[in-house]
Amino acid sequence: GQNIDQPTEMTATEGAIVQINCTYQTSGFNGLFWYQQHAGEAPTFLSYNVLDGLEEKGRFSSFLSRSKGYSYLLLKELQMKDSASYLCAVRDSNYQLIWGAGTKLIIKP
Amino acid sequence: DAGITQSPRHKVTETGTPVTLRCHQTENHRYMYWYRQDPGHGLRLIHYSYGVKDTDKGEVSDGYSVSRSKTEDFLLTLESATSSQTSVYFCAIIDLKETQYFGPGTRLLVL
């Protein structure tokens, strides 16, 4: 079967750095996506990785290791508005997205 | 903003009644998707469309049907709603960079 694993919940402090991990087992791999979802809202696109390595976009970075079936999302200089759920999704061999259940990130002052 | 709207945004209905949710897009995207989102689960694909009158089933299609008679509209119908279909429903499109963008969602409560 296909499986995406991410921690259910994480807590971090405003101004700090947090790393959210995602491991996957899918039938084929055609890219990995990270989305942010605030409570009661739709997911919004954050990043896309298809090759191994780090992609940096402002305070957010995403890393991929295809050989390990592993990715992480790194959030720096945390702000209260970063409190949200972060969803990991892998595009499989059928070009469908397989979604993790999401990691709820709680930011404390 | 990918120009996606969903209607209604909230709906309360009773078990056994038919319900239709509408997704409308303004940017002529070919692919459109319907997902449901429930606590403890990732987004789960119900149906998707790859063109007018071209649709296919997703992971959780039982109890749902779809129609796409125009490029801009993708309808999701629950023929006879059940309490297990209480959920948040998201429509999505894929842009030219093959990234999915979501509509605002519809909260459906089946009593």
Side-chain angles (χ1 to χ4, degrees):
Chain A
Q2 308 204 88
N3 197 46
I4 310 277
D5 285 319
Q6 18 177 165
T8 302
E9 187 175 296
M10 299 181 70
T11 301
T13 304
E14 189 177 16
I17 299 173
V18 71
Q19 177 176 310
I20 302 173
N21 296 325
C22 171
T23 58
Y24 63 89
Q25 291 178 308
T26 56
S27 56
F29 179 85
N30 285 295
L32 185 143
F33 295 80
W34 284 96
Y35 283 76
Q36 181 189 60
Q37 185 177 25
H38 285 102
E41 298 182 6
T44 56
F45 171 71
L46 284 178
S47 68
Y48 170 66
N49 295 70
V50 67
L51 299 176
D52 290 352
L54 189 67
E55 294 279 343
E56 296 186 77
K57 193 186 292 186
R59 293 189 299 115
F60 292 8
S61 302
S62 55
F63 172 83
L64 174 67
S65 169
R66 287 172 296 170
S67 63
K68 294 182 179 177
Y70 168 70
S71 172
Y72 67 73
L73 181 69
L74 191 71
L75 291 73
K76 303 175 185 176
E77 301 170 13
L78 285 169
Q79 302 175 10
M80 297 304 293
K81 68 179 182 179
D82 298 328
S83 291
S85 289
Y86 291 86
L87 314 181
C88 174
V90 171
R91 187 157 57 200
D92 68 8
S93 56
N94 294 319
Y95 269 74
Q96 299 298 345
L97 285 184
I98 310 301
W99 294 84
T103 298
K104 182 178 181 180
L105 178 63
I106 299 168
I107 310 296
K108 296 186 174 180
Chain B
D1 183 359
I4 310 168
T5 57
Q6 292 184 230
S7 59
R9 295 293 313 279
H10 302 270
K11 186 167 183 67
V12 180
T13 192
E14 293 188 350
T15 298
T17 59
V19 176
T20 295
L21 309 183
R22 179 181 183 239
C23 178
H24 179 77
Q25 55 123 339
T26 59
E27 299 183 3
N28 210 35
H29 297 290
R30 179 182 172 194
Y31 283 82
M32 298 183 75
Y33 300 78
W34 277 108
Y35 289 95
R36 61 177 290 172
Q37 187 175 40
D38 304 289
H41 292 271
L43 287 158
R44 291 183 289 177
L45 182 64
I46 305 171
H47 282 279
Y48 67 99
S49 170
Y50 45 96
V52 173
K53 296 192 185 340
D54 291 323
T55 65
D56 206 347
K57 296 179 180 180
E59 174 191 0
V60 291
S61 59
D62 286 349
Y64 301 94
S65 62
V66 290
S67 66
R68 192 165 178 204
S69 58
K70 299 185 290 184
T71 298
E72 57 266 35
D73 288 324
F74 191 30
L75 304 181
L76 176 70
T77 297
L78 292 65
E79 301 291 346
S80 177
T82 67
S83 59
S84 65
Q85 293 176 312
T86 291
S87 188
V88 181
Y89 292 86
F90 287 104
C91 173
I93 58 89
I94 280 190
D95 72 354
L96 293 176
K97 293 183 179 179
E98 299 188 339
T99 299
Q100 284 199 8
Y101 291 91
F102 290 84
T106 295
R107 292 185 174 274
L108 177 66
L109 174 61
V110 183
L111 300 173

